[in-house]
Amino acid sequence: LNEFWPQALSNIVWAYSTADEFHPRLFGKVADHIAELDNMQSFRPQALSNIVWAYAKADESYPKLLGKVANQVVELDNLQSFRPQDFSNIVWAY
């Protein structure tokens, strides 16, 4: 998974959730990979939003992943790059 860009990881879990195709092993691997990253600075707001939305829709609970994303959002200097839909997805997911 190290070769995947953040948007690709986001798109994968988003696509599975959107199609109602839940694959717990895949979701687990992606969640563990993201949770173990040193930082998430390369994750854009839409990727963060889509990731947490996908896990919530799939009813897959990965507290380390959700904590990592939440910490990334609150550590940002400003939230101007977030669109209303990004905020909506994030709030809904938690």
Side-chain angles (χ1 to χ4, degrees):
L1 292 174
N2 288 330
E3 296 178 17
F4 284 83
W5 291 45
Q7 192 64 45
L9 295 170
S10 166
N11 289 348
I12 290 167
V13 293
W14 176 88
Y16 271 81
S17 289
T18 299
D20 290 329
E21 291 292 332
F22 306 117
H23 195 293
R25 193 164 157 223
L26 171 68
F27 275 69
K29 283 191 143 309
V30 172
D32 289 343
H33 172 74
I34 293 171
E36 292 171 5
L37 293 173
D38 290 334
N39 69 66
M40 295 184 69
Q41 293 174 350
S42 59
F43 284 74
R44 293 189 173 152
Q46 184 180 15
L48 297 170
S49 166
N50 286 350
I51 288 167
V52 295
W53 177 89
Y55 280 82
K57 181 164 187 316
D59 201 23
E60 293 284 340
S61 179
Y62 289 92
K64 283 184 175 180
L65 170 69
L66 294 176
K68 182 93 171 195
V69 172
N71 287 338
Q72 175 63 25
V73 172
V74 299
E75 289 175 6
L76 295 172
D77 291 334
N78 69 63
L79 301 176
Q80 294 177 348
S81 58
F82 284 77
R83 296 171 302 142
Q85 186 66 53
D86 299 329
F87 285 122
S88 176
N89 288 354
I90 291 170
V91 170
W92 178 83
Y94 285 89

